Amino acid sequence: MFGRIRTVILWILAVLLVFITLNSNEPYLVRLRGPGHVALLVIGVAVPLLLALSGGWRRGIAARALLLVWCVPLIALTATQFMFAWRKYETFRTEPEVARLLGRHFIAGYRSADEAAALARHGLIAGVYVTHHNIRGRTEAHLRTELARLQAERRGAGLPPLLVAADQEGGSVAHLSPVLPNIPGLSTLADLPANRRARAAFELGRSQGEGLAAAGVNFNLAPVVDLRPHWTRNPLDFHTLIGRRAISRDPDVVGDIALGYVQGLEASGVRAAVKHFPGLGRVEADTHHFSAQLDAPVDALERSDWRPFRHVLERSQAAMMVGHVTVDAVDPERPASHSRKVLDGLIRGQWHYQGVIITDDLVMGAIYGRDLCKAVVEALNGGADLLLVAYDGTQFHRVFACARQALSDGRIDLDALRRSDERLARWRPDETSRPSNVSTVSETAGGAHRKIVD
């Protein structure tokens, strides 16, 4: 009986380990990186060796099958690590013209400062995203020194300064605290009289912006302008937690406070990004893990959920973060973050917004779990200016490979990239270099797509 139980346990563990090693580089298993991979390697070698030395494989077909299955994790782990290393190698061997044409449209998180420096030096990214793991066990001086080093790499390569982005909203989302001071959530200002709340929000934004700027952060992915949902607890919302982060249910209150906060950040030299268009106040599913639909008429959204976005964007230099929610009334086929009908048709066309659009993190289940390459290409072609790869920055190599291959195949709209470069140049007039000649880049990328734009 004991032998049978042991065999069943070994089978279960073998299947589990096969699954883990086949997916060892996926975002959901990011915490296994480093020591976890070493442990998987040791287990993948030790258990098959012990099974072989015990002679159990001689006891029949089932025992031999068990031994073979236990050999799979080592093979799978080796294959996934080789694939990751190859993608990384391919990223760094990208032609300089292609790297700089595409790279100015990506912001990537990082764990290794050396790798971030290499990406910055080669022009493969427009910016970096800093969060919890970049400050764990460190001080503000450490962060400031590291970011200064990355900016020095850019200067040495003759490239414009990096955007350094963070999620430092205040309240429950302050990914650089306690290293940097936190501020109260903007919702704490919602009950103030109208003539006081905007000023109070400005002071909070200015204070927070000064702290961010001193550390080297120049782009804050805040404020949240989603309307507060009607529910108090949503069992399908694991990480968005918009009920805690939203300012108010009243779009006028949200607009006043968000605008004051954005202007405070801007007064400190820090850019802002209003988020998460098209709004999460009516959305129950968490896009960190699931696809999500916004099922409401456009006129109803214009009267409520979208008013704070337009109020802030028309009166500031804020960028706009577009999330991975599908707006059924505009484009029921794809999330807003890579929908041309939403990005170019609604936001650029109907709203006449010619500022910067940044996608929400592409390493979220609503995008990453579907056709990632399609989303990358459609976002670039549809009117997004910056694509964010935040939670698991190593996935940047996969994302960039999608864009590079699409450019080589002639599937990147170079007119769209040119317009995007112009928007970025207006947004950062003193920091953005002149766009490269896209016809030259197109020929370098593969020879198939020789469309002349300049």
Side-chain angles (χ1 to χ4, degrees):
M1 178 64 72
F2 176 76
R4 291 177 182 174
I5 293 174
R6 184 190 65 179
T7 300
V8 170
I9 292 174
L10 283 173
W11 271 106
I12 293 173
L13 291 177
V15 172
L16 179 62
L17 207 64
V18 168
F19 174 80
I20 290 174
T21 51
L22 284 173
N23 294 279
S24 58
N25 282 325
E26 296 301 298
Y28 279 106
L29 298 178
V30 67
R31 297 183 186 276
L32 280 179
R33 308 259 172 86
H37 284 180
V38 173
L40 291 174
L41 178 63
V42 171
I43 294 170
V45 172
V47 175
L49 185 60
L50 289 173
L51 287 175
L53 292 176
S54 70
W57 57 276
R58 299 190 186 94
R59 296 171 188 166
I61 295 175
R64 295 190 190 100
L66 178 61
L67 176 58
L68 288 174
V69 171
W70 267 103
C71 291
V72 172
L74 179 60
I75 298 170
L77 183 63
T78 303
T80 55
Q81 297 312 302
F82 174 80
M83 180 61 68
F84 170 75
W86 180 256
R87 280 181 181 152
K88 185 176 175 181
Y89 168 75
E90 287 285 286
T91 298
F92 285 109
R93 69 189 293 266
T94 301
E95 297 87 347
E97 296 86 355
V98 174
R100 296 187 182 196
L101 176 74
L102 296 176
R104 61 172 60 106
H105 299 283
F106 293 97
I107 294 178
Y110 69 93
R111 290 180 180 270
S112 165
D114 290 339
E115 182 169 335
L119 292 171
R121 184 170 59 250
H122 286 83
L124 290 159
I125 54 174
V128 293
Y129 171 84
V130 290
T131 187
H132 302 293
H133 59 255
N134 299 109
I135 62 167
R136 191 173 293 119
R138 309 176 76 188
T139 65
E140 180 185 347
H142 286 132
L143 178 63
R144 183 167 58 248
T145 299
E146 182 171 282
L147 295 177
R149 174 199 169 191
L150 298 182
Q151 297 290 16
E153 293 283 355
R154 296 288 278 195
R155 289 194 299 272
L159 292 167
L162 290 168
L163 284 165
V164 181
D167 274 314
Q168 193 74 358
E169 298 170 9
S172 61
V173 175
H175 291 173
L176 298 183
S177 296
V179 170
L180 296 187
N182 194 5
I183 63 169
L186 295 179
S187 60
T188 59
L189 307 178
D191 293 331
L192 292 177
N195 60 346
R196 290 180 53 199
R197 60 190 178 220
R199 183 64 189 175
F202 177 88
E203 292 301 329
L204 284 180
R206 184 182 57 78
S207 173
Q208 188 175 63
E210 289 173 352
L212 290 169
V217 178
N218 54 30
F219 188 24
N220 194 18
L221 304 181
V224 168
V225 298
D226 311 88
L227 299 188
R228 181 173 293 170
H230 61 82
W231 58 78
T232 55
R233 184 178 181 277
N234 179 6
L236 298 178
D237 184 359
F238 301 102
H239 288 98
T240 301
L241 304 176
I242 203 63
R244 298 182 191 174
R245 298 161 64 192
I247 296 171
S248 170
R249 291 190 179 93
D250 186 333
D252 292 327
V253 172
V254 174
D256 288 347
I257 293 174
L259 178 60
Y261 174 78
V262 166
Q263 291 174 338
L265 286 176
E266 292 177 345
S268 303
V270 175
R271 295 290 190 184
V274 294
K275 61 185 185 183
H276 312 78
F277 186 83
L280 300 175
R282 301 173 187 254
V283 177
E284 296 191 12
D286 185 344
T287 53
H288 289 84
H289 307 284
F290 311 109
S291 300
Q293 312 291 129
L294 178 55
D295 183 15
V298 168
D299 57 348
L301 294 169
E302 290 279 12
R303 289 194 305 269
S304 57
D305 302 58
W306 294 351
R307 276 171 54 197
F309 288 97
R310 300 189 69 169
H311 181 76
V312 177
L313 294 174
E314 290 169 0
R315 296 165 175 81
S316 72
Q317 296 298 312
M320 180 184 195
M321 177 179 281
V322 179
H324 308 314
V325 174
T326 300
V327 187
D328 290 341
V330 180
D331 185 355
E333 302 297 323
R334 53 185 54 78
S337 55
H338 59 99
S339 166
R340 184 185 291 272
K341 292 180 180 179
V342 173
L343 299 174
D344 192 52
L346 175 67
I347 299 173
R348 303 282 188 211
Q350 296 180 33
W351 288 14
H352 306 293
Y353 174 67
Q354 294 304 314
V356 168
I357 291 176
I358 179 172
T359 70
D360 206 345
D361 190 0
L362 296 178
V363 189
M364 294 173 69
I367 294 294
Y368 193 88
R370 302 170 69 167
D371 190 337
L372 178 62
C373 280
K374 179 181 178 183
V376 169
V377 175
E378 289 186 346
L380 290 172
N381 289 344
D385 303 296
L386 296 168
L387 277 61
L388 180 63
V389 185
Y391 173 70
D392 181 6
T394 62
Q395 303 303 329
F396 166 75
H397 299 288
R398 179 179 174 187
V399 168
F400 190 81
C402 295
R404 187 182 61 239
Q405 187 61 52
L407 181 67
S408 178
D409 294 343
R411 292 182 287 113
I412 293 291
D413 184 342
L414 296 180
D415 277 323
L417 282 192
R418 177 180 54 77
R419 292 192 297 271
S420 179
D421 288 341
E422 291 171 354
R423 288 190 293 267
L424 290 168
R426 289 194 299 269
W427 193 56
R428 306 180 74 200
D430 299 326
E431 300 176 341
T432 305
S433 62
R434 184 182 183 276
S436 59
N437 187 304
V438 294
S439 63
T440 302
V441 172
S442 181
E443 295 182 10
T444 303
H449 190 206
R450 306 187 186 280
K451 181 177 181 181
I452 304 298
V453 176
D454 286 350

